[in-house]
Amino acid sequence: MDRKRMIYLDNNATTPTDPRVVEAMLPFSMNTRQCQAAITLFGWVAEEAVDYAREQIANLIEVDSKEIIFTSGATESDNLGLKGVFEMYRRKGNHIITVKTEHKAILDTCDHLEKLGAEITYLEVNREGLIDLTELEAAIKPNTILISVMWANNETGTIQDMKTIGDICAKHGVLFMSDATQAVGKIPVKPKKVGVHIMAFSSHKMYGPKGVGALYVSRKNPRVKLTAQMDGGGHERGMRSGTLNVPGIVGFGKAAEIAKNEMTQDAERVSKLRDKLETELSKLEEVYLNGAKQSRMPHVTNLSFKHVEGEGLMMTFNQNIAVSSGSACTSASLEPSYVLVALGLGDDLAHSSIRFSLGRFTTEEDVDYAIQAVAQGVNHMRDLSPIWEMYKEGIDLNTVTWSEH
Ligand SMILES: Cc1ncc(COP(=O)(O)O)c(C=O)c1O
């Protein structure tokens, strides 16, 4: 296999920065005297650039630019949203509803809040990764202050029914927060249209630079107030103090503008490539799709290759193909992915899963190459596997008594 060829199918972990974004950032990153004078010394140049980027981002999600708070990324935005609401509305209630398949930035923050007296309900999901809306409504109590449901899942791409959840929140007067990190810039995300009041997202998942993100906080109907988690100079309307990352924000703004213009064509092109990858790989025996087939992101497919251990399969790619087994953030450990376990997969199928996430720069040649390499890897691993041989002989592995010695 050609070692020099690198095929990147891990865009849910991070996206490459678009060259047009880099170009927009350069004047704000270069350390020439002219640039320094213009940007550092004459602060208004930087201020104007930040305001412009704020507009570009607000434009993408159709909110007012005053409703955008810049942060260091979605992790910080998730923390600010959850902790900020809990502290601000604590006297009203201490109950938060979220979902078992949320990103760790939400789950671990909820753990933290539980230690501070919050009561957290974690909703189950079905085989497709969708929550049960009747269960959600039944979980609401008089002390519920917030419902936090991610827009699209990072491992499976499953998209929740945001509009109906928004309607339920409105009916019960509960704030609605969403971690939309995997959705913004890739599919239309309009929080006001679906009744989301607080929304976290990140630049590096939409072809912008790393280390910058945003939190949308509704200022009208309802006006949401948050307790700041970073105290200091009162930047970002007092909600997030600290000198802003100007080059990062400029790049984030440019990434939002490009997404606004190109998202529809990108999604159409990439979903065709994703479908080709999925269809071709599904021709192998015992391949299972994890998550929803219909309600999902256009660029993601999460497949389990039964009796093929995912990490082992990745090694057969000889570092030519970047994909993910389990969550990008937890794949260093060999725990089966908690997201896939929540979908009801057994350990064997969870361990044999691979997430393919395509992107703006994925070509048809990349996909063709990946199909061939993955099929070859799966066949190779199965050829070596006594378990696969037993399965092919028709032995039901659940009935086998394994020797203790
Ligand atoms: C759904 C989701 N939320 C939050 C994050 C964290 O984003 P960031 O790296 O910008 O902190 C990620 C990144 O993997 C994610 O996929």
Side-chain angles (χ1 to χ4, degrees), residues 12-14 71-78 101-106 150-155 179-183 200-205 209-214 327-329 355:
N12 276 16
T14 191
T71 65
S72 63
T75 300
E76 187 189 335
S77 299
D78 283 337
T101 50
E102 292 286 315
H103 191 268
K104 285 282 180 189
I106 294 284
M150 74 199 314
W151 205 293
N153 185 269
N154 43 306
E155 289 195 39
D179 176 347
T181 309
Q182 292 291 346
F201 53 110
S202 188
S203 157
H204 77 101
K205 306 281 185 184
K210 302 183 205 323
V212 56
S327 164
C329 304
R355 175 188 73 187

Side-chain angles (χ1 to χ4, degrees), residues 192-209:
K192 285 189 190 294
K193 290 251 159 63
V194 299
V196 164
H197 309 119
I198 305 153
M199 191 176 86
F201 53 110
S202 188
S203 157
H204 77 101
K205 306 281 185 184
M206 47 182 274
Y207 309 96

